[in-house]
Amino acid sequence: MVLMAASMAFGALYDHLALRWSLPDAMNRHEGAVGSRTYYFRPDWILKVLLLESIDLVPTSITGRVLLGTWMVVSLILTSAYQGILTSLLAVPMVEVPVDSLQDLLDYGKIPWSVEHGTSIHQLLDEENSEVYKMINSKVFYIKSSFDEKDRMKEKRFAILCDFFSMKMIMSDDYGQTGECNYYIAKEAIWSASMAFAFPKGSNLTSHFNKWIMAMKESGLVNRRLWAAARNATACLVPPGQEAGSKTSSVLSVLDLGGVFLVGVGGMASSIFLFLMEKLVNCQRIRSRPP
């Protein structure tokens, strides 16, 4: 905007001074509704070029041609940069996730999988009669703890069938150490179950414990503590390709477009020099005329 305003101001000043000094071979006639108007340079050309509108008249002077030509180059670069940024904002990073369910895990066939021994998922696979669960159970290998296997899972690249919170803890711990998102949680939930604390039958603590847990749950303290325990995982619980630091910048700074502004300033400086030269040549012509 500053460059455009400066170019329009210089164009208006050039038109005024050139008309006042009557520079030769530089006039463009514009027929209006009332009468004719002689222009050396029209400031609205700057705006028309930026809006990709046609120009009915073109400058015939060298100064006007340099000024308008420079602005054409600047406008071309600026509009191209704007269109590119707009397109990048509309584009969505396409990262294909080959495994997002148990069926995908079987169909993909390139990732081995494991289950924590003695967990509810281990029991589910042993008791479920579904063909998918049977095939998963036939090729599974068992581990003691998913958290203890987090480094080996990343290095050997295998999947672990575990609970959601355990995987969040792994992602949070790894992101806190490396600053990268090296794990992904599939969208399909294998199984859901309630978490509970067990007490002996008839225990006097049961009623009190239920009251305390209910109060903490309703006040949001439970969810708050759970999220606080795995707060670093938030950066990785986004669609693949949209993690922090993985997107390209959608903003161009003044330094990024510094070359464009240098071209614009250089064109204006050249126009000023050529304008002074035109004035000098005009003065010499006047002086050389015979009395």
Side-chain angles (χ1 to χ4, degrees):
M1 294 297 293
V2 172
L3 191 61
M4 181 178 67
S7 300
M8 294 179 69
F10 177 73
L13 179 63
Y14 168 68
D15 179 70
H16 173 72
L17 295 178
L19 186 63
R20 181 178 179 182
W21 293 341
S22 300
L23 297 182
D25 303 328
M27 291 186 294
N28 294 274
R29 257 197 192 291
H30 175 66
E31 299 294 338
V34 178
S36 62
R37 167 71 163 91
T38 302
Y39 292 94
Y40 285 81
F41 190 91
R42 295 179 59 181
D44 62 321
W45 287 341
I46 300 295
L47 186 60
K48 285 186 175 182
V49 169
L50 186 63
L51 298 178
L52 302 180
E53 294 185 2
S54 61
I55 299 177
D56 50 354
L57 299 173
V58 293
T60 57
S61 65
I62 299 178
T63 303
R65 288 180 178 271
V66 170
L67 180 60
L68 184 61
T70 301
W71 182 251
M72 285 182 173
V73 174
V74 172
S75 299
L76 176 62
I77 299 175
L78 290 178
T79 53
S80 299
Y82 172 76
Q83 293 173 359
I85 289 297
L86 182 61
T87 303
S88 66
L89 291 176
L90 296 176
V92 179
M94 298 300 295
V95 178
E96 183 180 357
V97 179
V99 176
D100 238 342
S101 64
L102 290 180
Q103 187 63 53
D104 293 341
L105 193 61
L106 290 172
D107 297 339
Y108 190 58
K110 297 180 181 180
I111 302 178
W113 56 87
S114 63
V115 173
E116 290 179 305
H117 188 273
T119 59
S120 57
I121 298 180
H122 180 189
Q123 181 180 1
L124 174 68
L125 294 177
D126 286 341
E127 297 177 355
E128 184 63 41
N129 294 323
S130 170
E131 290 296 327
V132 175
Y133 283 85
K134 288 182 179 180
M135 295 184 65
I136 290 291
N137 197 28
S138 64
K139 299 180 180 180
V140 73
F141 65 93
Y142 297 99
I143 58 175
K144 183 179 179 181
S145 169
S146 58
F147 199 85
D148 293 340
E149 296 288 340
K150 63 183 183 68
D151 293 332
R152 191 164 72 97
M153 176 173 55
K154 181 170 59 175
E155 296 172 0
K156 302 297 183 179
R157 305 186 68 81
F158 63 89
I160 295 181
L161 309 183
C162 62
D163 63 279
F164 182 73
F165 184 71
S166 296
M167 197 62 225
K168 280 179 57 180
M169 290 290 293
I170 292 175
M171 296 173 71
S172 176
D173 183 73
D174 181 74
Y175 186 82
Q177 294 179 359
T178 64
E180 300 177 352
C181 298
N182 297 304
Y183 302 93
Y184 174 73
I185 300 178
K187 294 180 179 179
E188 183 189 70
I190 301 175
W191 185 52
S192 61
S194 301
M195 298 182 65
F197 292 88
F199 292 93
K201 288 185 177 181
S203 174
N204 296 327
L205 294 176
T206 305
S207 59
H208 299 288
F209 195 84
N210 288 340
K211 180 180 178 180
W212 299 333
I213 286 294
M214 184 63 66
M216 293 177 63
K217 180 66 177 177
E218 291 178 348
S219 64
L221 291 177
V222 174
N223 291 335
R224 181 179 178 181
R225 295 291 294 181
L226 290 175
W227 278 105
R231 58 182 179 272
N232 290 335
T234 306
C236 300
L237 293 176
V238 295
Q242 299 184 14
E243 297 88 352
S246 62
K247 294 196 299 182
T248 57
S249 175
S250 59
V251 177
L252 294 179
S253 65
V254 176
L255 293 179
D256 294 331
L257 295 173
V260 182
F261 298 121
L262 289 177
V263 171
V265 173
M268 291 181 61
S270 301
S271 301
I272 294 174
F273 174 76
L274 292 173
F275 176 65
L276 295 177
M277 294 299 296
E278 284 183 327
K279 172 60 178 175
L280 180 62
V281 171
N282 187 45
C283 293
Q284 291 179 351
R285 287 183 178 179
I286 294 176
R287 292 177 180 179
S288 62
R289 289 177 183 177

